[in-house]
Amino acid sequence: MERILITGGAGFLGSQLCSFLLDQKKDIICTDNFFSGDKENIRHLFSHPYFELIRHDIIHPLFVEVDKIYHLACPASPIHYQYNAIKTVKTNVMGTINMLGLAKRTQARILFTSTSEVYGDPEVHPQPEAYWGHVNPIGLRSCYDEGKRVAETLMMDYHRQNNVDIKIARVFNTYGPKMAVKDGRVISNFIVQALKNEPLTIFGEGRQTRSFCYVTDMLQGIIALMEQDDLRGPINLGNPKEHTILELAKKIIHMTGSSSPIIHKPLPSDDPVRRCPDISTARKKLGWEPRVGLEEGLEKTIRYFKEKLNLNPRK
Ligand code: UDP
């Protein structure tokens, strides 16, 4: 039986990846330091005979024997990764060195979840993998985006120097059930605010764009990449349908039947103006593309947050 390590396994994506791979009869070792991960996300797996949880911070080495590593660990929401910026850099740099060392010793294939933030505030639109990005190296987002860029460098160098079997996924904005109420990102913020009939907080005028990928689509993309044998460089994974933040706010107000007003708050520094993935490589090489449209995904996510906030009329 294949033994798989998932770092950040109690997080939004990691926890659903644990469930998904357990269903595929894999033996799972999940690590998390519970900074932004939550035990609640994996509690239902505790009694599974092939699920093992290790409370561990990957900035320290980890000694386990595995066949594959999904290296997801790192807070991904700006409020969380900026809370302790130095720790975010350590997680990406030291954490990735530790996981690559583990992959090297055990000859495990390792997949790293990088980010669309490596493109910074992009001057090329939509963003193909070949674009090098437009990143502020000293800004508030740099602990995350430069951290992820160094981690990509490490992945490529361990491959070139030590022949480690690597995969790099550049994950664009992803949403869905299991996001934390306090995740701080736009979809969870807007849905929670709408359900509580509180004002929706648009940062800036709301003309900035993002492209939102539903969680199950993203997981399928990540797994397809892990199972692909000859891809080395980074691969964009995301939904190529682009929306403005104002459009998103209006849609969520409409779908929740909320009486919330929209208010505007200052735009955080270095907030990218436009973001949209060019997924032609993933389409061609993985035969993958997202299937869940925004409305369908939002419907499921709204239902999840209703239950989470105890607003479900059936309860
Ligand atoms: N945003 C917003 N209101 C919020 C949270 C975020 O208007 O309550 C904006 C944010 O400024 C950004 C976009 O929504 O332009 C996406 O933000 P998020 O934090 O979800 O992701 P990221 O900026 O990392 O893409």
Side-chain angles (χ1 to χ4, degrees), residues 267-282:
L267 191 65
S269 69
D270 296 337
D271 198 285
V273 177
R274 297 185 76 184
R275 183 185 288 157
C276 178
D278 176 337
I279 59 162
S280 38
T281 317

Side-chain angles (χ1 to χ4, degrees), residues 117 141 173 185-186 189 201-203 208 210 271 275:
E117 294 233 0
R141 286 186 174 243
N173 297 62
R185 269 171 298 185
V186 68
N189 275 6
T201 52
I202 290 189
F203 300 162
Q208 69 272 39
R210 292 293 186 274
D271 198 285
R275 183 185 288 157

Side-chain angles (χ1 to χ4, degrees), residues 76-79 81 115-117 141 144 172-173 179 183-190 193 200-204 206 208-210 212 245-246 248 263 265-268 270-273 275:
S77 170
I79 51 163
Y81 69 62
T115 169
S116 54
E117 294 233 0
R141 286 186 174 243
Y144 186 71
F172 282 66
N173 297 62
M179 283 184 102
D183 180 278
R185 269 171 298 185
V186 68
I187 289 198
S188 48
N189 275 6
F190 284 180
Q193 290 163 343
L200 269 66
T201 52
I202 290 189
F203 300 162
Q208 69 272 39
T209 68
R210 292 293 186 274
F212 300 102
I245 296 305
L246 181 61
L248 177 76
I263 58 166
K265 291 201 162 178
L267 191 65
D270 296 337
D271 198 285
V273 177
R275 183 185 288 157

Side-chain angles (χ1 to χ4, degrees), residues 15 38-48 51 178:
S15 59
D38 188 349
K39 254 187 214 166
E40 233 5 78
N41 288 338
I42 46 169
R43 199 156 56 101
H44 61 292
L45 303 175
F46 287 172
S47 59
H48 195 293
F51 179 78
K178 297 231 171 168

